[in-house]
Amino acid sequence: MDKDLLAIQEMRTAVKTAKSAQQKYMSFSQEQVDRVVKAVADAAYARSAELGQMAADETGMGVAEHKKIKNEVGSKAVYESIKDLKTVGIVGEDKVNKVVEIAAPFGVVAAVIPTTNPTSTAFFKTLISLKTRNAIVVSPHPYAVKCTEAALQICEEAAVEAGAPPGLVQCLTMASMDATQQLMKHPDVNVILATGGSALVRAAYSSGKPAYGVGPGNVPVYIERTAKIEKAAENIVNSKSFDYGTICATEQAIVVDHNVKERVMRELKKHGAYVLNAEEKAKMEKAISPVPGKVNPKIVGKSPQTIARLAGISIPEGTRVLIGEETEVGKDIPFSLEKLSPVFAMYTARDSNHAKELCLSLLYLGGRGHSLSLHTKNDDVAREFAIEMPVSRILVNTMSSVGAVGGTTGLLPSMTLGCGTFGGNITSDNVSAKHLLNIKRMAYGIKEVHLPKQAADASKPADETDEIVKEVLKSVNGKANIDPKMVSELVTQIVSQLQK
């Protein structure tokens, strides 16, 4: 049979199996659900290193040790954030207003997984689905099928061993775009979790199904003049080099106040940054974007050394990130794009207002709604940026990549970061288990409403009166000398009394 037809059949079978398992899972108590979720989280966490290595080997992206950390966040940190959430039966009650909240699952979750975070995202989406009594059908990225399938197999086996019905966790293995698109439109799929590029997110939202899609980042990082320069430089280099820049919340462009630029440059170099000269920058531009407006996939998640070789330049040993100074922003300006690699653009700002303009330009180019990073000791500046920037997360004095997913901040641990309506998404939250619950509400009557009496139709009584008068006059049949006008007045009075 044709491979695409086989892939579609595999998808239909997976959805059917998941739906059947989910209908059994719906009867589980909170205690049973929590037992399943803990078992899955523990099993995933225990295999984080192995799966991190497998993901790095299969995709050729990132750093295995860093992927291990992401797997730990996607398993243990996510579990800790959802373990106390009530997701079965009555989950809330307002005794004053007599409103009772009842949790109900969505059903079958269709989850699309990116190549940049294939195992950590698989762990995360499985945990939040199982916590809410949903089943999940995963479509891996074509370049990460084996590691994603292995991650999901760990989850399925742990769930079944903990008492879950077999089949709750399904993985498509044939890497078909047609099968993925049909999965998102399948009548038995109830919600979509789409993590990936803009085209994928648009497909999810146009599927006719409820969908959580997240778009690109292109995160600016502003180093304001009051920042602790050494710590800011260390955080930025560490963040950008983490898993070679594959987290969508990773900083993409540095915006620095001109009066601290020289100090920033020294500190960045101290931590492993290499600043390209004009000739090297021109070569790097061609490596970043051979086709205007499009980032070369060969640089995504690669080391600085690999990218330098691709560009045909030599860099010092130990280089952790590459920096090209830039003044312009646009689709035809390669350094201003979201590069998902350890390559930075650097812009010099005259003051905080100019910095805002630069950050806005970068966000409108491709990161609107996602995140912005800021290093400052001036809380007023931080709050000003937080109010004015069209982003869902503002990370202050931390690594943006790890901070946005909840690793170094109090944000909810998540591998799916909403961009709100700024970025065309349904939510600006870090997506978690609460986003996969229907909440039903039972409400008792606590107020009385007094409805006014309906006004009488003025024409109707007149018609009825005429008919009654005719009947009265007909019944006497000339036997008495009765004035019709008097009869009409009498009948009108009687009808009026009856209507009160």
Side-chain angles (χ1 to χ4, degrees), residues 469-481:
V469 170
K470 287 178 184 178
E471 289 297 322
V472 170
L473 293 174
K474 183 179 178 182
S475 65
V476 298
N477 197 21
K479 294 176 183 177
N481 187 16

Side-chain angles (χ1 to χ4, degrees), residues 178-371:
D178 193 22
T180 299
Q181 290 177 337
Q182 290 202 34
L183 169 66
M184 293 193 289
K185 296 178 180 179
H186 195 288
D188 288 333
V189 163
N190 303 100
V191 65
I192 300 166
L193 289 178
T195 308
S198 299
L200 170 67
V201 173
R202 284 195 298 270
Y205 279 125
S206 63
S207 67
K209 302 284 184 178
Y212 293 107
V214 297
N218 208 29
V219 178
V221 52
Y222 174 40
I223 305 176
E224 195 259 343
R225 61 186 179 85
T226 65
K228 294 181 179 178
I229 303 301
E230 183 176 355
K231 187 62 177 174
E234 180 183 10
N235 274 331
I236 290 168
V237 173
N238 285 344
S239 183
K240 187 65 166 171
S241 57
F242 182 76
D243 206 29
Y244 293 151
T246 51
I247 293 181
C248 55
T250 301
E251 302 90 334
Q252 298 295 325
I254 299 169
V255 177
V256 58
D257 272 352
H258 76 283
N259 48 7
V260 294
K261 181 179 176 180
E262 287 187 16
R263 288 173 56 205
V264 167
M265 282 292 207
R266 284 198 303 271
E267 292 299 327
L268 288 171
K269 290 175 182 177
K270 186 190 298 184
H271 290 285
Y274 177 70
V275 181
L276 304 166
N277 62 34
E279 183 182 348
E280 291 169 333
K281 179 173 177 279
K283 290 180 178 180
M284 185 59 68
E285 286 172 340
K286 293 177 182 177
I288 293 171
S289 182
V291 178
K294 296 186 181 296
V295 170
N296 184 357
K298 292 181 179 180
I299 73 166
V300 174
K302 302 299 184 183
S303 68
Q305 290 71 28
T306 299
I307 297 170
R309 283 195 297 271
L310 187 66
I313 64 175
S314 297
I315 58 175
E317 188 178 344
T319 296
R320 298 174 66 200
V321 298
L322 302 168
I323 297 177
E325 291 197 64
E326 189 54 82
T327 57
E328 298 180 78
V329 176
K331 288 189 178 296
D332 58 341
I333 309 298
F335 273 87
S336 68
L337 302 173
E338 183 189 27
K339 298 164 286 298
L340 290 175
S341 60
V343 180
F344 266 126
M346 175 177 272
Y347 296 86
T348 303
R350 296 185 296 274
D351 51 33
S352 63
N353 286 327
H354 186 214
K356 283 183 203 170
E357 293 173 14
L358 290 167
C359 289
L360 282 170
S361 296
L362 290 160
L363 290 168
Y364 275 94
L365 176 64
R368 182 177 163 88
H370 204 289
S371 305

